[in-house]
Short mmCIF file of all heavy atoms in Angstrom, two decimals:
data_model
loop_
_atom_site.label_atom_id
_atom_site.label_comp_id
_atom_site.label_asym_id
_atom_site.label_seq_id
_atom_site.Cartn_x
_atom_site.Cartn_y
_atom_site.Cartn_z
N ALA A 15 2.94 31.96 -8.09
CA ALA A 15 1.58 32.18 -8.60
C ALA A 15 1.55 32.35 -10.11
O ALA A 15 0.85 33.22 -10.64
CB ALA A 15 0.92 33.36 -7.92
N CYS A 16 2.29 31.50 -10.82
CA CYS A 16 2.26 31.56 -12.28
C CYS A 16 1.01 30.90 -12.84
O CYS A 16 0.67 31.07 -14.01
CB CYS A 16 3.50 30.88 -12.86
SG CYS A 16 3.58 29.10 -12.58
N HIS A 17 0.31 30.11 -11.99
CA HIS A 17 -0.92 29.41 -12.36
C HIS A 17 -0.69 28.31 -13.40
O HIS A 17 -1.62 27.83 -14.03
CB HIS A 17 -2.00 30.38 -12.84
CG HIS A 17 -2.40 31.39 -11.82
ND1 HIS A 17 -3.36 31.18 -10.87
CD2 HIS A 17 -1.90 32.65 -11.57
CE1 HIS A 17 -3.48 32.23 -10.10
NE2 HIS A 17 -2.61 33.13 -10.49
N GLY A 18 0.58 27.94 -13.58
CA GLY A 18 0.88 26.85 -14.50
C GLY A 18 0.23 25.54 -14.06
O GLY A 18 -0.22 24.75 -14.89
N CYS A 19 0.16 25.31 -12.74
CA CYS A 19 -0.45 24.09 -12.22
C CYS A 19 -1.94 24.06 -12.57
O CYS A 19 -2.49 23.00 -12.91
CB CYS A 19 -0.25 23.99 -10.71
SG CYS A 19 -0.73 25.46 -9.77
N THR A 20 -2.58 25.21 -12.49
CA THR A 20 -4.01 25.30 -12.83
C THR A 20 -4.25 24.94 -14.29
O THR A 20 -5.16 24.17 -14.62
CB THR A 20 -4.54 26.71 -12.54
OG1 THR A 20 -4.32 27.04 -11.18
CG2 THR A 20 -6.02 26.81 -12.85
N LEU A 21 -3.42 25.50 -15.16
CA LEU A 21 -3.58 25.27 -16.60
C LEU A 21 -3.22 23.84 -16.99
O LEU A 21 -3.90 23.23 -17.83
CB LEU A 21 -2.71 26.28 -17.38
CG LEU A 21 -3.10 27.74 -17.22
CD1 LEU A 21 -2.10 28.63 -17.94
CD2 LEU A 21 -4.52 28.00 -17.73
N ALA A 22 -2.15 23.30 -16.39
CA ALA A 22 -1.76 21.93 -16.71
C ALA A 22 -2.84 20.95 -16.30
O ALA A 22 -3.15 19.99 -17.02
CB ALA A 22 -0.44 21.59 -16.02
N CYS A 23 -3.42 21.18 -15.13
CA CYS A 23 -4.50 20.33 -14.64
C CYS A 23 -5.71 20.40 -15.57
O CYS A 23 -6.31 19.39 -15.92
CB CYS A 23 -4.88 20.75 -13.22
SG CYS A 23 -6.37 19.99 -12.59
N LYS A 24 -6.04 21.63 -15.97
CA LYS A 24 -7.23 21.82 -16.83
C LYS A 24 -7.04 21.13 -18.18
O LYS A 24 -7.97 20.51 -18.70
CB LYS A 24 -7.49 23.32 -17.02
CG LYS A 24 -8.83 23.63 -17.68
CD LYS A 24 -9.15 25.09 -17.61
CE LYS A 24 -10.51 25.40 -18.22
NZ LYS A 24 -11.63 24.79 -17.48
N SER A 25 -5.83 21.22 -18.72
CA SER A 25 -5.55 20.61 -20.01
C SER A 25 -5.49 19.10 -19.91
O SER A 25 -6.14 18.37 -20.68
CB SER A 25 -4.23 21.16 -20.56
OG SER A 25 -3.89 20.50 -21.76
N ALA A 26 -4.72 18.58 -18.96
CA ALA A 26 -4.51 17.13 -18.85
C ALA A 26 -5.80 16.39 -18.60
O ALA A 26 -6.01 15.27 -19.09
CB ALA A 26 -3.50 16.83 -17.74
N ASN A 27 -6.71 17.01 -17.85
CA ASN A 27 -7.97 16.36 -17.49
C ASN A 27 -9.14 16.79 -18.38
O ASN A 27 -10.28 16.43 -18.09
CB ASN A 27 -8.29 16.63 -16.02
CG ASN A 27 -7.32 15.94 -15.09
OD1 ASN A 27 -7.38 14.72 -14.91
ND2 ASN A 27 -6.41 16.69 -14.49
N ASN A 28 -8.83 17.57 -19.44
CA ASN A 28 -9.86 18.01 -20.39
C ASN A 28 -11.07 18.60 -19.64
O ASN A 28 -12.23 18.24 -19.90
CB ASN A 28 -10.32 16.83 -21.28
CG ASN A 28 -11.16 17.29 -22.46
OD1 ASN A 28 -10.92 18.35 -23.04
ND2 ASN A 28 -12.18 16.51 -22.79
N LEU A 29 -10.78 19.52 -18.73
CA LEU A 29 -11.85 20.07 -17.89
C LEU A 29 -12.78 20.97 -18.68
O LEU A 29 -12.33 21.75 -19.51
CB LEU A 29 -11.25 20.84 -16.70
CG LEU A 29 -10.41 20.02 -15.72
CD1 LEU A 29 -10.01 20.90 -14.53
CD2 LEU A 29 -11.16 18.79 -15.23
N PRO A 30 -14.07 20.90 -18.41
CA PRO A 30 -15.03 21.75 -19.09
C PRO A 30 -14.84 23.22 -18.74
O PRO A 30 -14.17 23.56 -17.76
CB PRO A 30 -16.38 21.24 -18.58
CG PRO A 30 -16.12 19.89 -17.98
CD PRO A 30 -14.72 19.95 -17.48
N ASP A 31 -15.43 24.08 -19.54
CA ASP A 31 -15.41 25.51 -19.24
C ASP A 31 -16.00 25.76 -17.85
O ASP A 31 -17.01 25.18 -17.47
CB ASP A 31 -16.23 26.29 -20.27
CG ASP A 31 -15.64 26.19 -21.68
OD1 ASP A 31 -14.48 25.74 -21.80
OD2 ASP A 31 -16.33 26.56 -22.65
N GLY A 32 -15.33 26.62 -17.11
CA GLY A 32 -15.81 26.98 -15.78
C GLY A 32 -15.44 26.03 -14.68
O GLY A 32 -15.81 26.24 -13.51
N VAL A 33 -14.71 24.94 -15.00
CA VAL A 33 -14.33 23.94 -14.00
C VAL A 33 -12.82 23.99 -13.81
O VAL A 33 -12.05 23.94 -14.77
CB VAL A 33 -14.75 22.53 -14.41
CG1 VAL A 33 -14.22 21.49 -13.42
CG2 VAL A 33 -16.26 22.44 -14.52
N ARG A 34 -12.40 24.13 -12.56
CA ARG A 34 -10.98 24.07 -12.21
C ARG A 34 -10.83 23.20 -10.97
O ARG A 34 -11.57 23.35 -10.01
CB ARG A 34 -10.42 25.48 -11.93
CG ARG A 34 -10.26 26.33 -13.16
CD ARG A 34 -9.62 27.66 -12.83
NE ARG A 34 -10.45 28.44 -11.92
CZ ARG A 34 -10.18 29.69 -11.57
NH1 ARG A 34 -9.10 30.30 -12.04
NH2 ARG A 34 -10.99 30.35 -10.76
N TYR A 35 -9.87 22.32 -11.02
CA TYR A 35 -9.57 21.49 -9.85
C TYR A 35 -8.58 22.17 -8.93
O TYR A 35 -8.53 21.89 -7.73
CB TYR A 35 -8.97 20.15 -10.26
CG TYR A 35 -9.90 19.19 -10.97
CD1 TYR A 35 -9.40 18.04 -11.56
CD2 TYR A 35 -11.27 19.41 -11.03
CE1 TYR A 35 -10.24 17.14 -12.21
CE2 TYR A 35 -12.11 18.52 -11.67
CZ TYR A 35 -11.59 17.37 -12.27
OH TYR A 35 -12.40 16.47 -12.90
N ASN A 36 -7.74 23.02 -9.48
CA ASN A 36 -6.64 23.62 -8.73
C ASN A 36 -6.73 25.15 -8.86
O ASN A 36 -6.77 25.69 -9.96
CB ASN A 36 -5.30 23.13 -9.29
CG ASN A 36 -4.13 23.54 -8.44
OD1 ASN A 36 -3.88 22.97 -7.39
ND2 ASN A 36 -3.40 24.53 -8.88
N ASN A 37 -6.74 25.83 -7.72
CA ASN A 37 -6.78 27.29 -7.70
C ASN A 37 -5.63 27.83 -6.87
O ASN A 37 -5.31 27.28 -5.82
CB ASN A 37 -8.10 27.80 -7.11
CG ASN A 37 -9.30 27.44 -7.97
OD1 ASN A 37 -9.53 28.04 -9.01
ND2 ASN A 37 -10.06 26.44 -7.55
N VAL A 38 -5.00 28.90 -7.35
CA VAL A 38 -3.91 29.53 -6.59
C VAL A 38 -4.50 30.78 -5.93
O VAL A 38 -4.84 31.75 -6.59
CB VAL A 38 -2.73 29.90 -7.51
CG1 VAL A 38 -1.61 30.53 -6.69
CG2 VAL A 38 -2.23 28.67 -8.25
N LEU A 39 -4.63 30.71 -4.61
CA LEU A 39 -5.24 31.79 -3.85
C LEU A 39 -4.18 32.73 -3.27
O LEU A 39 -3.06 32.29 -2.94
CB LEU A 39 -6.09 31.21 -2.72
CG LEU A 39 -7.12 30.15 -3.10
CD1 LEU A 39 -7.91 29.71 -1.87
CD2 LEU A 39 -8.08 30.69 -4.16
N THR A 40 -4.52 33.99 -3.15
CA THR A 40 -3.62 34.99 -2.58
C THR A 40 -3.98 35.27 -1.14
O THR A 40 -5.12 35.67 -0.84
CB THR A 40 -3.69 36.32 -3.38
OG1 THR A 40 -3.41 36.06 -4.75
CG2 THR A 40 -2.69 37.31 -2.84
N ASP A 41 -3.04 35.02 -0.24
CA ASP A 41 -3.20 35.44 1.15
C ASP A 41 -2.53 36.80 1.28
O ASP A 41 -1.31 36.91 1.39
CB ASP A 41 -2.53 34.42 2.09
CG ASP A 41 -2.63 34.83 3.56
OD1 ASP A 41 -3.42 35.75 3.86
OD2 ASP A 41 -1.94 34.23 4.40
N GLY A 42 -3.33 37.83 1.19
CA GLY A 42 -2.79 39.18 1.19
C GLY A 42 -3.88 40.21 1.15
O GLY A 42 -4.71 40.29 2.07
N GLY A 43 -3.94 40.98 0.06
CA GLY A 43 -4.93 42.05 -0.05
C GLY A 43 -6.28 41.55 -0.48
O GLY A 43 -6.55 40.35 -0.54
N GLN A 44 -7.13 42.49 -0.84
CA GLN A 44 -8.52 42.19 -1.17
C GLN A 44 -8.62 41.46 -2.51
O GLN A 44 -9.56 40.69 -2.73
CB GLN A 44 -9.34 43.48 -1.21
CG GLN A 44 -10.81 43.26 -1.46
CD GLN A 44 -11.59 44.56 -1.42
OE1 GLN A 44 -11.02 45.63 -1.16
NE2 GLN A 44 -12.89 44.52 -1.66
N TYR A 45 -7.65 41.68 -3.41
CA TYR A 45 -7.73 41.11 -4.74
C TYR A 45 -6.55 40.18 -5.01
O TYR A 45 -5.54 40.22 -4.31
CB TYR A 45 -7.77 42.23 -5.80
CG TYR A 45 -8.87 43.20 -5.60
CD1 TYR A 45 -8.64 44.46 -5.03
CD2 TYR A 45 -10.19 42.87 -5.95
CE1 TYR A 45 -9.67 45.36 -4.83
CE2 TYR A 45 -11.22 43.77 -5.75
CZ TYR A 45 -10.96 45.00 -5.19
OH TYR A 45 -11.99 45.89 -4.98
N MET A 46 -6.71 39.34 -6.03
CA MET A 46 -5.65 38.42 -6.41
C MET A 46 -4.33 39.18 -6.66
O MET A 46 -4.33 40.24 -7.29
CB MET A 46 -6.03 37.64 -7.68
CG MET A 46 -4.99 36.65 -8.16
SD MET A 46 -5.45 35.85 -9.73
CE MET A 46 -6.86 34.87 -9.22
N ASP A 47 -3.23 38.60 -6.20
CA ASP A 47 -1.87 39.12 -6.41
C ASP A 47 -1.60 40.46 -5.72
O ASP A 47 -0.61 41.12 -6.03
CB ASP A 47 -1.56 39.25 -7.91
CG ASP A 47 -1.50 37.91 -8.59
OD1 ASP A 47 -1.15 36.91 -7.93
OD2 ASP A 47 -1.79 37.84 -9.80
N THR A 48 -2.46 40.87 -4.81
CA THR A 48 -2.21 42.12 -4.08
C THR A 48 -1.79 41.80 -2.65
O THR A 48 -2.17 40.79 -2.08
CB THR A 48 -3.45 43.02 -4.06
OG1 THR A 48 -4.52 42.34 -3.39
CG2 THR A 48 -3.88 43.39 -5.46
N ALA A 49 -0.97 42.70 -2.08
CA ALA A 49 -0.49 42.53 -0.73
C ALA A 49 -1.33 43.33 0.25
O ALA A 49 -2.04 44.27 -0.13
CB ALA A 49 0.96 42.96 -0.63
N ARG A 50 -1.26 42.96 1.53
CA ARG A 50 -1.87 43.77 2.56
C ARG A 50 -0.76 44.48 3.34
O ARG A 50 0.39 44.08 3.32
CB ARG A 50 -2.72 42.94 3.51
CG ARG A 50 -1.97 41.94 4.36
CD ARG A 50 -2.93 41.33 5.40
NE ARG A 50 -2.27 40.34 6.25
CZ ARG A 50 -2.34 39.04 6.06
NH1 ARG A 50 -3.03 38.55 5.04
NH2 ARG A 50 -1.73 38.21 6.89
#
Side-chain angles (χ1 to χ4, degrees):
C16 67
H17 299 273
C19 52
T20 303
L21 295 175
C23 170
K24 191 170 182 66
S25 175
N27 292 286
N28 192 37
L29 297 185
D31 296 346
V33 175
R34 288 184 297 187
Y35 291 170
N36 189 77
N37 294 285
V38 181
L39 307 182
T40 304
D41 178 13
Q44 184 177 358
Y45 303 102
M46 181 185 292
D47 294 331
T48 61
R50 66 171 179 262

